[in-house]
Amino acid sequence: LCCGINTESLPPQCVLTGKWINDLGSTMTIGAVNGEGNFNGFYHTAVTATNNKIKVSPLQGSQQRTNQKNHPTFGFTVNWTFSDSVTVFTGQCFVDENGKEVLKTM
């Protein structure tokens, strides 16, 4: 998930809640972030190294409280329902020059 773009029409302010799509066509839906910064959601990958049928997989994560520049950092774990593996992502949210929210993750 290099550069996810929020597909919901929210004002650009780096809010993780919503539906995101990356440059490979994978989608991620993040539910509300609670007061402690925790969130749940679902990830539907478009790419895999297994021959198993791809299924939507649950994710759990945590967001740092918004920093002074409104570029919150976050991390989340996806427990793949179609393979015996887990992936951990970490990243930061930015608003690009066009006002679009962008997630940059590793």
Side-chain angles (χ1 to χ4, degrees):
L1 183 74
C2 165
C3 302
I5 303 295
N6 194 336
T7 60
E8 294 189 359
S9 57
L10 297 171
Q13 48 185 285
C14 275
V15 175
L16 292 182
T17 301
K19 185 173 182 181
W20 298 83
I21 186 165
N22 73 6
D23 52 348
L24 299 175
S26 298
T27 59
M28 174 175 69
T29 303
I30 296 178
V33 178
N34 70 20
E36 296 176 350
N38 300 319
F39 58 87
N40 294 304
F42 298 95
Y43 198 101
H44 189 241
T45 187
V47 296
T48 183
T50 179
N51 291 330
N52 297 340
K53 181 180 178 188
I54 295 174
K55 297 178 184 176
V56 175
S57 299
L59 67 82
Q60 292 182 319
S62 184
Q63 173 185 310
Q64 169 208 35
R65 296 188 191 272
T66 305
N67 61 24
Q68 294 175 354
K69 295 185 179 185
N70 280 339
H71 298 147
T73 57
F74 59 90
F76 63 92
T77 302
V78 179
N79 185 358
W80 302 109
T81 57
F82 58 91
S83 70
D84 295 328
S85 62
V86 172
T87 302
V88 178
F89 295 88
T90 186
Q92 191 167 15
C93 184
F94 298 93
V95 177
D96 73 11
E97 62 277 355
N98 298 319
K100 295 266 188 186
E101 296 170 294
V102 178
L103 301 181
K104 299 203 179 215
T105 62
M106 300 177 76

